[in-house]
Amino acid sequence: MQLDLCATLACLLAASTALGKDRVAVLAIEPRPGILSGADAAALTSELGEVAGAAVAPGFEAVSVQGSDPAAALRKGAAAALVGRAAQMEGATVVAMSVYKSGATAPAGSARVVGIGLAQLKLDLRAKVPRLLATSLGISPAVSEPVTPQGTLRIPGKATASGAAPQAQAQAQPQTRKPRPPPPPNEDPLVRLVRETTEDVEDLRGLRRKQNLKVQILDDKLFIAAVREKARQELTPQVVAAERARWLAFDLAPAAADPAQVLLDVLDEQVAGFYDQFTKQLIVRRNPPASAGEAMGPDGLRVILAHEIEHALQDQNFGIPDLAALPDDDVRLARSALFEGDAMAVMTAYAAQRANNPIKASVVTAASMLRSVDTETLLHMTGKSPALLRAPRILREELVAPYSAGFALVAEAYRRGGFPLVDRMFKRPPESLHQVLHPEAYFAGEAVAPVPAPVPPAGTRVLSRGRMGELGTRVALETCVDKAVLKELAPKWAGDAYTIVEGPKGSVSLLWTTAWSGGAAATLGNVMKLVPPCWEEQAATANPASAQWTIAAPSRIDVAGDLVAVARGSIPLDAAVARQLTSGVRMPAASPPLGEVAAPAAVEPTHLEGTRFVSPRLGLQAEVPNGFSQDTTNPVAEMAIARAGPAGGAASLSFMPLALSGEAADAVFQTASGQFATARGTHLTFASKGAIKVAGQTGEERAWNLEEGAMQLRIALLPWCGGKASLTLVRVDGGDGGRTALDAFAASIKAEGRSAACSELE
């Protein structure tokens, strides 16, 4: 028996040597015009042969054969045939890989190799083909490949040494871009831009992809359809009806205004890309409008994509909530402000990084400048959104606030603790837009007063419930009350709740309770005496017969403690107001969401000492010319003066944490003069350029003549902080007298002490 056993083993070994290995035929991947070029097909076929040769198990041999017919290869004696066929899915190249075995009509296994460009196709091929061969040849159990939605491509995450995607690196904040290997030959420029920007944003932000980033690159027609589809997913009939009722009840828009159509008109403008949290995809416009990023310079499109890529990283690391599931507009705006503010900070930091400008100073300064400009001025300055300018004011304010106010909140967190502190905000997001509009309220943890929703009167149907928030409250009251009166009152908003109901024959009524801090309720109650007659006048002209709903003119307003109650419409008003005021509200205790986070030492603001401006932030002082006064309407400038009349004019001095020269300086001159002309509604004619010396620094000044009379605009750029930053001096004069006074103002600007702004750059 023992001899027989040994003989048997010897026979088996001899037989295996004599028979040789089973062949796996590796067929050529055929090129397809417009999808896979001949050179790329050949390179991918070569890569496939190498991968298959290294991947097949003992007992098999991978052999490259001519042709693309697996049946022919099997008839010639191959045990299996590996074949790939190329296709395209909206910008992505997909190679469907299949393994066929002798005697079977269906493939034994299949996988899809997906990528944008040859390099990514090779990377995906190396990841998937070994597993495909192992399962198809019976070496290991089959594993289903995750299904990728049609029309997507995937940008693989960076691999660590172990092959796993790295976790979020909260502390990593490199100030310079890392060198990368040269791009693959013949790579689509837009594909390269998306890939490089994604890697840049990961390095800058310190967040990593936890799974592949899905991207769709669409032509104009498909892109606009995608934008509108995303909007339709959010603008459900219930959402649109509730918003229409809110607009009518608070007199925020004409009765016939359609919120869905207004918003769709706005979204069609200037959109280059967006992240869709529903499908978890980055949607990129193959041919974006030139104006979509032109204000940001040559890197405009790249910078915009950085904003949207950050949304994808947010979703993978923190999760983007379903805004429709949040309780009201105020909470939705607050949550949106955190996500948009973070994306704005990343976009600004990325632009600064690519321009070799200081990142922290750029983020903080840009946020401050954006927040200091009101929405109307901001939209007129950009001049890029006529549909948004025509939209109801409430829509303009609520669309802009998450970007401007959200940016300011995130920039303040970044100033205090960098992106690691921003990461912590996603665990304790702001609860109301009040906390976004006033970052100190967020860091202090000022909670919203829990005002109960007013109870609907008997015989009515609720159309909408919610919270207006500080922004919505201010906009609603400004339809009848002067803005200046509400400027000091609005920040004392502490909470509110409204209920909008429908009665017989489509009559709409409003019940609204607001809470105020610091004893502001009594003051607001007096101010709101202006509202009833205003609402009555509006109701008389705002109820066309064709409207779905109408609202009656009468209203009642009353105050009790910290509460102000409003009732409007065709319900019993006195009873409604009385019931609202009996609810009572207890102001909640503050609870800092991030704990004690110290703010950087405050710098004394620019102030007047007699007739002299003093700016500790810039380390400058200047004399105010006779007849001129401080211009408090220019929130962006460090110093600003103005004088009315034909011999008057205006001047402003601003700080930019950027070194401006060459094309960058040209862009600033062009943008600033264009924004001035747009804001003034005038036409400029270039007059001259030359050198100017201010505060011991020599810079360049350019001048334009205005079409009205002898007025002239002069803009000067000067190096500051040892060339790391710039000063912008803008002067507008109405004639020789004003020009002389403004020249004297420029000559009086002197350096005094150390600049706090320059210290921040260091």
Side-chain angles (χ1 to χ4, degrees):
M1 292 289 298
Q2 184 178 4
L3 289 175
D4 291 340
L5 179 60
C6 289
T8 304
L9 287 173
C11 291
L12 290 173
L13 289 172
S16 65
T17 304
L19 291 173
K21 298 180 180 180
D22 285 337
R23 288 188 304 147
V24 176
V26 180
L27 282 68
I29 299 173
E30 294 186 330
R32 291 193 62 185
I35 298 175
L36 189 68
S37 68
D40 284 355
L44 204 59
T45 298
S46 176
E47 186 81 9
L48 180 62
E50 292 181 11
V51 171
V56 293
F60 291 91
E61 177 185 19
V63 179
S64 296
V65 299
Q66 298 296 318
S68 58
D69 182 6
L74 294 172
R75 284 195 299 271
K76 293 179 180 180
L82 174 62
V83 63
R85 293 186 174 89
Q88 189 175 45
M89 291 195 308
E90 300 298 353
T93 301
V94 180
V95 181
M97 307 298 307
S98 300
V99 175
Y100 290 86
K101 297 175 72 173
S102 181
T105 57
S110 60
R112 292 191 303 173
V113 173
V114 186
I116 45 178
L118 182 60
Q120 288 189 9
L121 287 169
K122 287 183 175 180
L123 183 65
D124 210 32
L125 184 149
R126 287 194 294 269
K128 293 178 178 177
V129 166
R131 183 178 62 190
L132 171 63
L133 287 170
T135 57
S136 300
L137 298 177
I139 307 303
S140 63
V143 179
S144 298
E145 180 187 5
V147 177
T148 302
Q150 187 176 6
T152 67
L153 56 91
R154 295 180 291 177
I155 300 179
K158 299 179 183 177
T160 62
S162 64
Q167 299 298 312
Q169 304 294 319
Q171 301 297 329
Q173 295 186 51
Q175 297 296 299
T176 58
R177 284 169 286 163
K178 296 180 179 179
R180 294 196 180 93
N186 304 318
E187 185 177 35
D188 184 313
L190 182 57
V191 168
R192 180 184 306 173
L193 185 146
V194 174
R195 175 177 54 79
E196 292 179 349
T197 303
T198 301
E199 295 172 356
D200 285 345
V201 171
E202 283 187 316
D203 291 340
L204 174 68
R205 180 62 176 83
L207 296 177
R208 303 294 183 193
R209 284 161 284 174
K210 293 189 175 182
Q211 56 262 357
N212 294 334
L213 173 59
K214 301 173 186 177
V215 183
Q216 274 195 329
I217 300 176
L218 305 179
D219 60 26
D220 282 355
K221 183 177 180 180
L222 290 175
F223 182 83
I224 291 173
V227 171
R228 287 184 164 248
E229 178 58 29
K230 182 175 185 292
R232 289 190 184 98
Q233 288 177 326
E234 299 174 359
L235 295 173
T236 64
Q238 295 81 4
V239 169
V240 173
E243 188 67 354
R244 189 193 293 270
R246 186 173 73 113
W247 284 10
L248 175 64
F250 287 97
D251 276 321
L252 299 171
D258 180 358
Q261 188 58 53
V262 171
L263 190 57
L264 287 173
D265 289 344
V266 170
L267 290 176
D268 279 348
E269 296 182 330
Q270 314 306 327
V271 181
F274 65 90
Y275 177 72
D276 186 351
Q277 74 266 29
F278 298 106
T279 60
K280 310 297 182 185
Q281 296 180 101
L282 179 67
I283 313 296
V284 180
R285 195 171 193 163
R286 177 167 289 280
N287 298 301
S291 56
E294 63 185 9
M296 299 178 186
D299 281 338
L301 178 57
R302 186 185 291 267
V303 171
I304 289 173
L305 289 177
H307 181 114
E308 302 305 330
I309 289 166
E310 172 59 10
H311 284 319
L313 296 179
Q314 291 168 347
D315 199 10
Q316 292 192 14
N317 286 272
F318 310 119
I320 296 178
D322 179 6
L323 296 181
L326 297 177
D328 53 61
D329 286 334
D330 188 42
V331 177
R332 282 188 282 271
L333 285 170
R335 195 67 54 86
S336 176
L338 173 57
F339 285 86
E340 296 300 345
D342 175 48
M344 289 289 291
V346 168
M347 179 176 74
T348 305
Y350 184 47
Q353 183 187 65
R354 290 190 60 82
N356 294 317
N357 291 319
I359 292 178
K360 182 176 180 181
S362 297
V363 169
V364 173
T365 301
S368 177
M369 293 177 65
L370 185 63
R371 188 71 191 99
S372 65
V373 180
D374 66 79
T375 299
E376 294 295 312
T377 303
L378 182 65
L379 293 177
H380 279 93
M381 285 171 62
T382 61
K384 299 299 181 187
S385 185
L388 187 54
L389 284 169
R390 293 192 300 268
R393 184 175 168 225
I394 187 64
L395 182 61
R396 298 197 299 270
E397 294 282 358
E398 291 183 345
L399 283 178
V400 170
Y403 296 87
S404 60
F407 186 14
L409 173 64
V410 171
E412 180 59 26
Y414 181 76
R415 188 170 76 102
R416 298 184 183 199
F419 281 126
L421 187 61
V422 175
D423 289 346
R424 291 170 56 192
M425 297 176 71
F426 287 91
K427 296 180 180 179
R428 293 290 301 276
E431 298 178 354
S432 71
L433 201 59
H434 172 78
Q435 291 184 334
V436 178
L437 295 169
H438 310 284
E440 68 279 4
Y442 171 75
F443 290 106
E446 292 182 10
V448 178
V451 180
V455 178
T460 64
R461 179 176 70 92
V462 174
L463 295 174
S464 179
R465 280 195 179 102
R467 189 168 75 203
M468 290 292 282
E470 180 183 332
L471 177 63
T473 296
R474 176 170 57 80
V475 173
L477 295 180
E478 282 178 355
T479 61
C480 296
V481 180
D482 187 80
K483 292 182 180 180
V485 175
L486 293 170
K487 184 177 181 180
E488 299 299 324
L489 285 173
K492 295 181 180 180
W493 173 94
D496 79 89
Y498 67 81
T499 300
I500 301 171
V501 299
E502 180 184 17
K505 299 180 180 180
S507 61
V508 170
S509 298
L510 167 68
L511 302 97
W512 184 31
T513 311
T514 57
W516 302 84
S517 63
T523 304
L524 186 74
N526 290 328
V527 169
M528 288 191 67
K529 292 178 181 178
L530 301 171
V531 173
C534 170
W535 276 352
E536 289 175 10
E537 181 180 348
Q538 291 172 343
T541 59
N543 288 328
S546 59
Q548 177 184 0
W549 293 313
T550 60
I551 189 163
S555 61
R556 296 287 186 275
I557 299 170
D558 203 355
V559 180
D562 293 325
L563 297 181
V564 178
V566 176
R568 180 188 185 200
S570 54
I571 58 175
L573 302 178
D574 291 335
V577 166
R579 188 171 188 176
Q580 289 169 242
L581 293 178
T582 60
S583 60
V585 172
R586 184 175 181 178
M587 297 294 182
S591 176
L594 307 181
E596 296 299 326
V597 179
V603 178
E604 187 180 8
T606 299
H607 58 278
L608 281 172
E609 295 180 359
T611 60
R612 185 178 60 144
F613 269 122
V614 177
S615 171
R617 178 168 178 262
L618 299 186
L620 292 172
Q621 63 175 6
E623 290 290 330
V624 179
N626 185 38
F628 282 75
S629 59
Q630 181 179 9
D631 182 6
T632 59
T633 65
N634 190 339
V636 177
E638 189 73 18
M639 302 179 183
I641 57 174
R643 181 174 71 184
S652 63
L653 183 72
S654 304
F655 172 78
M656 300 180 71
L658 315 172
L660 297 173
S661 61
E663 293 183 358
D666 290 339
V668 171
F669 280 121
Q670 181 179 358
T671 301
S673 59
Q675 289 178 346
F676 176 88
T678 300
R680 291 280 296 256
T682 188
H683 178 73
L684 301 179
T685 303
F686 183 75
S688 63
K689 71 175 180 178
I692 183 175
K693 192 167 186 177
V694 175
Q697 303 295 317
T698 300
E700 181 182 350
E701 182 172 75
R702 299 184 187 181
W704 295 261
N705 293 325
L706 278 67
E707 61 183 355
E708 56 263 35
M711 296 186 71
Q712 190 175 67
L713 166 69
R714 290 180 289 173
I715 302 176
L717 294 180
L718 302 117
W720 197 241
C721 303
K724 297 178 182 178
S726 305
L727 296 177
T728 305
L729 176 64
V730 179
R731 291 177 286 175
V732 184
D733 58 70
D736 292 339
R739 190 167 300 131
T740 300
L742 296 180
D743 287 345
F745 171 71
S748 74
I749 301 173
K750 307 290 185 185
E752 182 186 69
R754 185 169 176 79
S755 165
C758 293
S759 298
E760 291 178 359
L761 295 180
E762 297 169 3

